[in-house]
Amino acid sequence: MTDTAPGATETRDNGERDYSKTLFLPRTDFPMRAGLPQREPEWLKRWEDMDLYKLLREQSRDREKFTLHDGPPYANGNIHIGHALNKTMKDLVSRSMQMLGYNSAYVPGWDCHGLPIEWKIEEQYRAKGKNKDEVPINEFRAECRTFAEHWVDVQREEFKRLGVMGDWDNPYLTMSFDAEATIASELMKVAMSGQLYRGSKPVMWSVVERTALAEAEIEYHEHESDAIWVKFPVASQAWSDEAPEERLLGASVVIWTTTPWTIPGNRAVSFSSRIAYGLYEVTGAENDFGPQPGEKLIFADKLADESAAKAKLTFNRLGDVTFAELSAMTLHHPLSGLAGGYDFLVPLLDGDHVTDDAGTGFVHTAPSHGADDFEIWMAKGREIAAKGIDTTIPFTVDDAGYYTKDAPGFGPDAEGGAARVIDDKGKKGDANQRVITALIASNTLFARGRLKHQYPHSWRSKKPVIFRNTPQWFVYMDKPLGSDTDTLRTRALSAIDATKFVPPAGKTRLRSMIADRPDWVLSRQRAWGVPITVFVNTDTGEILKNEAVNARIHDAFLKEGADAWYAEDAKARFLGADVPDHAAWHKVTDILDVWFDSGSTHAFVLRNSEKWPDLKFPASMYLEGSDQHRGWFHSSLLESCATNGHAPYESVLTHGFTMDKNGFKMSKSLGNTIAPQDIIKKFGADILRLWTATIDYAEDHRIGDEILANTVEMYRKMRNSFRWLLGNLAHYEPEEAVAHADMPELEQLILHRLAVLDGEVRAGYRAYDYKRVVNTIANFMNLELSAFYFDIRKDALYCDPISSVRRKAALTVLDHLYSCLTAWLAPVLVFTMEEIWLERNPGETSSVHARTFPELPANWRNDALAEKWAQIRAVRRVVTGALEIERRNKVIGASLEAAPVVEIADPELLAALEGHDMADICITSQIDVRRAEALASEGFTLADVPGVAVTFARAEGERCARSWKVLPEVGSDPDYPDLTVRDADAMRERAAAGLDAGGDA
RNA sequence: GGGCACGUAGCUCAGGUGGUUAGAGCACACGCCUGAUAAGCGUGAGGUCGGUAGUUCGAGUCUACCCGUGCCCA
């Protein structure tokens, strides 16, 4: 075969000459496979080298600030999937707000004080046989500090690896000196304003860790308790005219408890006016110990039978015991007379917390050992005192779990020494047994047993805790501050109303917690934290309020950290000459609840404009998991309301928790945990980020192999579309750009779609609705670009002559697509978009992340055009459907083999097609669109596209060796007998441009 | 036990104020292309919307209860 056509160098197997080298085929080195796990660290290094974060700050310093304030993770251990989700979410918010045009600085932080770290150091001590109490406290604190520093470094690297951008070189730490100084000052502000008080309260106490625990530090686990039923004999004394009736004398009220060791602390028995009580006489006893026939006992009627069964008794009901009788009654303590103690009267108190669901209908009340007990005792204080009963709450158990002298018969003076409730290992001591023995001896034990139930345990040691009366520091929730209606609680509630919650349910949740919560217990009897920097008068208990002293404390902490409080000369140094009588003041050694630390971050981060000038107070947003309604959202709100009178945030965003693939919570014991490190190693951080952006974070959500595979697939599709974009744009010269008005309608349609998407993407990012953003973009790329626009325009892009406006217009559109899509996806696929951006925009300081979302010309939006093209696409669907049948029947393979006849009955539809090359749009070689009054009955139709019928016909003519179109005109050009007219022109232009010189023509 | 949520195809998500045959993408099956090629295109099957009972002419969308899951609390 003679080769007259320049440029066509090879011959194909089918005899056609190979023109592929004369086409503008996609040309790129951008790899189809991303290799993210290997390559991501390179981009991280690049950003670090160019100091991208600082670059952004400088570039956006004049913009409006958007401050997402980081809630500090605890500096202890590697990050898990929850951390990864949380930090990635924050990064999505921060980056998208930056690209929306704000100065969105992000300063990460860490929570460094607290029990878990202290616990780790103690564990190390124990392993070495070292005793914590023998180590100077500041030495111990230094070890805690070093430990926290280590994990800050570890987590910092793990967070950076996720692609999270922030001020990593300059994060905040709750243990930095300036933080410790500010936290102490915040506490002193609270003290100075009269909101701090010292109270005595039963708190959850861990004997093992020797500390009071907050509710947040308590877990409930199955525990077997000793249950006892105890008789309280009716006392003969009465304080009113309504003396007990004769029939009640000698009777006993029976209580039930699962904590026998609290009996020495008993001071009352609670009952309820809503419950019916009766007097019962024992008629038969199976055992020869315990209650015997003739004994009279009082029970809630509903629970009498059940209780009788416990003691293996039979009862006879003698009659009602009325509310008036019970109210007028006093009881003897069951251990009355033991070791000369317990000779006080025990009142009966009407309490709401009493039910007849379980027990006896009477509730043992030990004000030093239970919240309800404490509250009713306090509430009825006046009534109790009026009966001549001492209202003092005893301290019956010390911090090591031993009874004190307030528990006669069991304290240090008792035979065999003090009994113990719980030992150092968290095991049950001898207290219960000794109390039970004493009850038996005094014939006041009704029955005993064991009970398995949920019991509070320490979150760290997993050992049971006890309720124990201790002196603690509190913040008032309801004390009027200024006006009667201005309390910390009312301030916090109105601050919640002024805050935007995403999703809105968060508002209800936080509100109900604030509305119900008791006073805030601030004190911990531990070492690793910020001390409660107050002095208390040894006589009056009043708190020293001296600004000069406070200032000295603040300054010292700033220079030396909170260790200064524990230095030997601290008291003299801080009181100084401003306080004359140093001996009259006691230096408090308790430390602050860590929630106060993290609740104060707004004070030492957002208001530290010297260190972080790009942040603002209050923050634009706090963003954490939904558990933080009880945690950081809560403590920050209270702390700021106490010191500033308003919330530290304008909005609060919460996310749910990550479950396993079946929707169950992840736990090490179930073995269903998924580590973010593993996902990164296997797929890359961009996949983890894409997963984060596609889930409905407001709810709990799942992760697993199949879900990640879906994410990977989504990524792959988008990546390949970008690859094709890049390949085509290799042939684009910006100076060839075609103006919007000069573009074909198809190009204008795509620009219209970009304009619409621009609105959706911005709205989605503003609403923090990332799944909407990503799904919208991915659908656009798959359905409108890959399957429609790209498919149609391949012919023009590959084959059209150099001069073709159609081709240049398409390239211009590809350039716009590239510009928009890389920006829109940059907050999510931080690595991949940078990779794609650098392909065309290399440079030392070039980064897609330094961009803002492109501003698109308003005239791109053209709804009328879109409507028209919806009709065109409907016709296209009918054509595609018709071809599919022929393809099934093996009549054709490629659609270019077809030349269908399209009959249109609807004149409006026909008008829509006017002026468009439907063959191009349908990717056929030829097409015959014609008006038809009645549609051919054998034509292919679609039910939802009325008035259109398509009849298949094979394309007539030869196949063009260059464009593969089948047209009758092929062969008409003497120079290029194997090409269409368009392709022959293209070849001539190439020859004129000297493009194909060097071919073997 | 209490408070707050959630439960739409195997998976991830759409489905304003209740209204015709519940929508996408991925996965799956089948087919086409071989000039996006460890890619691209098309077709198909697959959900009675956790369950039950109500309100209504009509409920995925409202009410009650139940089941399941989660967070917080006790």
Side-chain angles (χ1 to χ4, degrees):
Chain A
M1 187 176 281
T2 54
D3 188 356
T4 57
T9 53
E10 314 256 327
T11 303
R12 293 174 180 279
D13 292 344
N14 63 4
E16 271 182 0
R17 274 177 292 202
D18 183 0
Y19 284 89
S20 63
K21 291 200 172 60
T22 75
L23 300 171
F24 292 112
L25 292 178
R27 194 178 68 213
T28 179
D29 293 328
F30 183 78
M32 196 179 291
R33 302 187 59 134
L36 294 174
Q38 293 73 40
R39 300 198 57 199
E40 283 173 345
E42 298 167 22
W43 291 301
L44 285 172
K45 180 165 187 313
R46 181 173 183 275
W47 294 329
E48 206 156 321
D49 290 346
M50 67 192 275
D51 205 347
L52 178 60
Y53 181 79
K54 196 174 151 205
L55 211 71
L56 288 183
R57 296 288 71 74
E58 283 162 4
Q59 159 190 319
S60 52
R61 189 134 285 164
D62 298 331
R63 298 190 200 163
E64 187 184 339
K65 288 175 187 171
F66 180 92
T67 298
L68 170 65
H69 181 37
D70 190 33
Y74 198 66
N76 178 18
N78 296 92
I79 68 165
H80 54 67
I81 194 79
H83 290 111
L85 171 83
N86 177 257
K87 275 290 194 281
T88 305
M89 288 280 311
K90 285 170 176 165
D91 199 42
L92 291 175
V93 171
S94 166
R95 287 174 182 270
S96 55
M97 293 318 275
Q98 178 75 23
M99 295 189 79
L100 278 166
Y102 293 87
N103 178 12
S104 176
Y106 176 67
V107 176
W110 275 274
D111 201 1
C112 304
H113 293 128
L115 191 61
I117 289 175
E118 204 168 328
W119 185 254
K120 289 276 182 192
I121 302 300
E122 283 183 41
E123 264 180 356
Q124 293 174 8
Y125 278 13
R126 272 196 290 277
K128 292 179 204 155
K130 211 158 133 191
N131 187 344
K132 177 198 170 192
D133 298 335
E134 291 162 9
V135 177
I137 183 166
N138 278 345
E139 215 170 282
F140 178 80
R141 287 169 57 90
E143 292 196 61
C144 292
R145 181 174 291 275
T146 307
F147 181 90
E149 276 165 358
H150 165 73
W151 285 108
V152 166
D153 288 341
V154 170
Q155 292 191 354
R156 180 187 358 230
E157 290 314 309
E158 289 175 324
F159 288 145
K160 281 158 84 171
R161 183 61 188 84
L162 293 169
V164 177
M165 181 155 59
D167 200 352
W168 294 111
D169 295 333
N170 196 25
Y172 77 81
L173 308 179
T174 59
M175 67 177 178
S176 68
F177 292 173
D178 61 310
E180 290 186 334
T182 307
I183 292 164
S185 287
E186 290 288 293
L187 183 270
M188 290 187 280
K189 267 192 217 169
V190 175
M192 293 296 277
S193 63
Q195 299 180 75
L196 184 73
Y197 72 95
R198 187 171 63 169
S200 153
K201 198 172 180 178
V203 294
M204 293 283 196
W205 181 269
S206 170
V207 169
V208 179
E209 292 138 300
R210 296 284 199 283
T211 187
L213 295 171
E215 293 119 67
E217 296 167 323
I218 295 294
E219 299 173 348
Y220 286 78
H221 299 299
E222 182 102 319
H223 181 75
E224 189 177 71
S225 293
D226 295 311
I228 53 169
W229 286 256
V230 182
K231 299 186 291 187
F232 282 63
V234 174
S236 53
Q237 296 95 331
W239 58 82
S240 78
D241 299 335
E242 293 183 66
E245 287 181 39
E246 193 69 15
R247 68 188 179 106
L248 296 179
L249 278 173
S252 292
V253 163
V254 180
I255 63 92
W256 171 76
T257 179
T258 55
T259 50
W261 60 270
T262 60
I263 292 294
N266 177 282
R267 291 297 181 273
V269 170
S270 299
F271 72 106
S272 172
S273 54
R274 296 160 306 176
I275 295 175
Y277 294 90
L279 180 64
Y280 294 82
E281 184 177 16
V282 178
T283 53
E286 221 172 276
N287 300 325
D288 54 7
F289 52 86
Q292 296 299 312
E295 255 193 85
K296 288 188 283 187
L297 302 161
I298 305 172
F299 285 98
D301 289 326
K302 192 181 153 194
L303 295 160
D305 288 348
E306 199 179 296
S307 303
K310 292 288 178 195
K312 305 195 168 166
L313 302 173
T314 51
F315 277 171
N316 176 33
R317 190 173 191 273
L318 299 177
D320 294 345
V321 180
T322 65
F323 175 70
E325 285 173 323
L326 289 170
S327 303
M329 196 183 278
T330 51
L331 308 171
H332 288 301
H333 194 281
L335 297 173
S336 183
L338 178 71
Y342 311 104
D343 53 355
F344 44 80
L345 287 173
V346 174
L348 277 146
L349 306 174
D350 180 16
D352 289 339
H353 64 289
V354 181
T355 68
D356 57 1
D357 293 340
T360 64
F362 291 103
V363 173
H364 156 54
T365 301
S368 51
H369 297 302
D372 288 335
D373 311 50
F374 176 80
E375 271 162 34
I376 192 169
W377 186 258
M378 295 304 284
K380 307 267 180 181
R382 197 172 289 182
E383 183 186 308
I384 297 164
K387 292 169 186 170
I389 298 171
D390 185 2
T391 57
T392 308
I393 298 175
F395 284 83
T396 46
V397 175
D398 71 13
D399 60 356
Y402 288 105
Y403 280 118
T404 67
K405 58 179 170 35
D406 278 2
F410 306 104
D413 301 333
E415 197 182 324
R420 201 172 188 191
V421 180
I422 286 181
D423 68 18
D424 287 335
K425 290 181 175 165
K427 290 261 167 32
K428 213 181 284 181
D430 57 349
N432 279 356
Q433 192 48 53
R434 282 171 65 174
V435 167
I436 290 168
T437 305
L439 289 171
I440 292 170
S442 63
N443 190 31
T444 44
L445 187 71
F446 174 81
R448 61 188 293 185
R450 286 178 195 279
L451 179 78
K452 278 191 181 167
H453 60 154
Q454 295 296 106
Y455 188 86
H457 289 66
S458 163
W459 71 337
R460 288 308 308 166
S461 63
K462 313 291 180 195
K463 301 299 183 192
V465 302
I466 58 176
F467 257 106
R468 175 179 168 261
N469 197 24
T470 55
Q472 298 292 344
W473 291 94
F474 295 85
V475 174
Y476 292 108
M477 285 303 296
D478 299 306
K479 183 185 180 183
L481 311 163
S483 78
D484 280 359
T485 53
D486 179 26
T487 66
L488 182 53
R489 196 186 307 276
T490 58
R491 279 184 189 179
L493 289 174
S494 46
I496 290 170
D497 288 339
T499 302
K500 183 190 171 186
F501 285 80
V502 183
K507 180 171 276 190
T508 335
R509 190 161 171 184
L510 187 55
R511 185 167 237 295
S512 65
M513 283 177 184
I514 296 287
D516 293 342
R517 69 156 298 146
D519 286 353
W520 187 1
V521 185
L522 285 187
S523 45
R524 291 299 120 93
Q525 289 67 46
R526 300 296 297 185
W528 179 226
V530 178
I532 294 179
T533 49
V534 295
F535 291 92
V536 184
N537 189 290
T538 46
D539 289 334
T540 62
E542 80 177 285
I543 298 169
L544 178 68
K545 292 183 179 175
N546 187 312
E547 293 289 8
V549 173
N550 291 352
R552 271 198 290 278
I553 294 169
H554 180 88
D555 289 347
F557 279 23
L558 211 49
K559 292 188 194 85
E560 304 153 38
D563 287 357
W565 187 254
Y566 300 99
E568 265 185 39
D569 58 342
K571 181 176 167 183
R573 174 188 183 187
F574 293 134
L575 290 179
D578 297 290
V579 182
D581 182 10
H582 286 194
W585 299 95
H586 164 71
K587 188 185 79 172
V588 171
T589 53
D590 288 356
I591 63 161
L592 280 165
D593 177 9
V594 284
W595 286 115
F596 192 89
D597 287 22
S598 57
S600 303
T601 55
H602 60 84
F604 64 84
V605 181
L606 301 181
R607 306 184 97 170
N608 190 342
S609 53
E610 232 168 86
K611 205 163 172 185
W612 296 290
D614 297 296
L615 302 180
K616 66 165 191 157
F617 176 81
S620 311
M621 174 179 280
Y622 276 32
L623 184 165
E624 303 299 331
S626 60
D627 58 333
Q628 295 303 321
H629 287 104
R630 175 63 59 176
W632 195 54
F633 298 147
H634 192 116
S635 59
S636 297
L637 178 70
L638 290 184
E639 208 286 334
S640 181
C641 284
T643 56
N644 302 309
H646 59 82
Y649 38 68
E650 291 162 358
S651 68
V652 165
L653 187 149
T654 51
H655 56 78
F657 279 69
T658 306
M659 304 297 133
D660 75 359
K661 61 179 177 178
N662 296 314
F664 294 102
K665 69 191 290 184
M666 292 186 191
S667 73
K668 278 179 190 162
S669 56
L670 286 173
N672 61 348
T673 54
I674 294 178
Q677 294 84 354
D678 291 341
I679 297 173
I680 289 170
K681 213 182 291 171
K682 195 169 173 192
F683 303 110
D686 262 357
I687 299 300
L688 189 56
R689 298 179 64 97
L690 185 58
W691 168 80
T692 305
T694 50
I695 57 166
D696 183 359
Y697 63 78
E699 296 170 24
D700 292 342
H701 43 265
R702 305 172 181 200
I703 196 164
D705 290 343
E706 189 181 3
I707 294 164
L708 284 169
N710 274 337
T711 311
V712 169
E713 177 62 19
M714 186 179 195
Y715 174 88
R716 202 186 55 77
K717 289 275 282 189
M718 289 195 286
R719 184 179 178 90
N720 268 312
S721 291
F722 276 112
R723 180 167 184 266
W724 188 82
L725 266 182
L726 288 170
N728 283 283
L729 284 168
H731 304 295
Y732 174 64
E733 300 296 336
E735 51 272 24
E736 293 184 326
V738 175
H740 176 264
D742 301 330
M743 287 180 175
E745 274 193 15
L746 181 56
E747 272 62 34
Q748 291 184 0
L749 174 72
I750 298 302
L751 295 186
H752 160 80
R753 289 292 302 139
L754 273 183
V756 172
L757 282 170
D758 178 58
E760 290 177 6
V761 167
R762 285 170 190 266
Y765 275 128
R766 282 193 185 280
Y768 317 108
D769 190 350
Y770 306 111
K771 61 180 162 54
R772 180 174 143 205
V773 170
V774 172
N775 283 328
T776 301
I777 294 174
N779 273 339
F780 172 69
M781 293 182 75
N782 291 334
L783 301 177
E784 298 182 69
L785 295 184
S786 196
F788 179 68
Y789 179 67
F790 291 173
D791 219 21
I792 291 170
R793 276 299 182 248
K794 277 177 197 170
D795 175 68
L797 284 165
Y798 297 174
C799 306
D800 266 9
I802 303 168
S803 63
S804 160
V805 172
R806 182 172 71 165
R807 182 179 148 268
K808 289 178 186 170
L811 284 170
T812 308
V813 165
L814 297 191
D815 190 45
H816 289 309
L817 285 169
Y818 171 86
S819 167
C820 288
L821 293 172
T822 48
W824 292 343
L825 288 171
V828 180
L829 300 173
V830 297
F831 297 104
T832 305
M833 289 309 116
E834 186 76 324
E835 179 187 11
I836 293 168
W837 182 251
L838 293 177
E839 282 284 319
R840 295 184 67 215
N841 302 274
E844 240 171 80
T845 56
S846 173
S847 174
V848 71
H849 302 298
R851 302 174 62 204
T852 51
F853 296 136
E855 299 290 334
L856 304 185
N859 67 343
W860 281 10
R861 176 100 189 212
N862 187 343
D863 292 324
L865 183 78
E867 268 180 54
K868 182 173 157 188
W869 273 81
Q871 291 184 300
I872 295 172
R873 291 193 69 170
V875 174
R876 183 180 192 260
R877 277 184 18 241
V878 185
V879 173
T880 311
L883 297 190
E884 187 58 27
I885 292 172
E886 304 307 320
R887 190 173 280 137
R888 288 266 160 198
N889 296 336
K890 307 288 180 194
V891 176
I892 57 165
S895 56
L896 283 176
E897 294 169 42
V901 178
V902 182
E903 292 181 309
I904 312 269
D906 181 353
E908 198 192 318
L909 203 51
L910 194 66
L913 304 185
E914 188 66 34
H916 294 103
D917 188 339
M918 285 303 286
D920 270 350
I921 292 166
C922 298
I923 319 182
T924 56
S925 284
Q926 303 155 46
I927 202 161
D928 180 3
V929 180
R930 56 169 83 137
R931 174 86 197 268
E933 291 300 335
L935 299 178
S937 57
E938 69 275 20
F940 178 84
T941 57
L942 285 179
D944 60 333
V945 190
V948 179
V950 176
T951 309
F952 174 78
R954 187 173 272 288
E956 298 295 332
E958 294 294 312
R959 172 168 131 137
C960 169
R962 189 164 179 273
S963 66
W964 300 344
K965 284 188 180 186
V966 180
L967 288 173
E969 71 190 37
V970 174
S972 61
D973 190 308
D975 291 339
Y976 297 97
D978 54 351
L979 299 188
T980 66
V981 171
R982 185 269 315 259
D983 288 276
D985 287 347
M987 288 304 294
R988 267 188 276 275
E989 281 194 24
R990 293 182 65 85
L995 275 178
D996 298 318
D1000 62 353

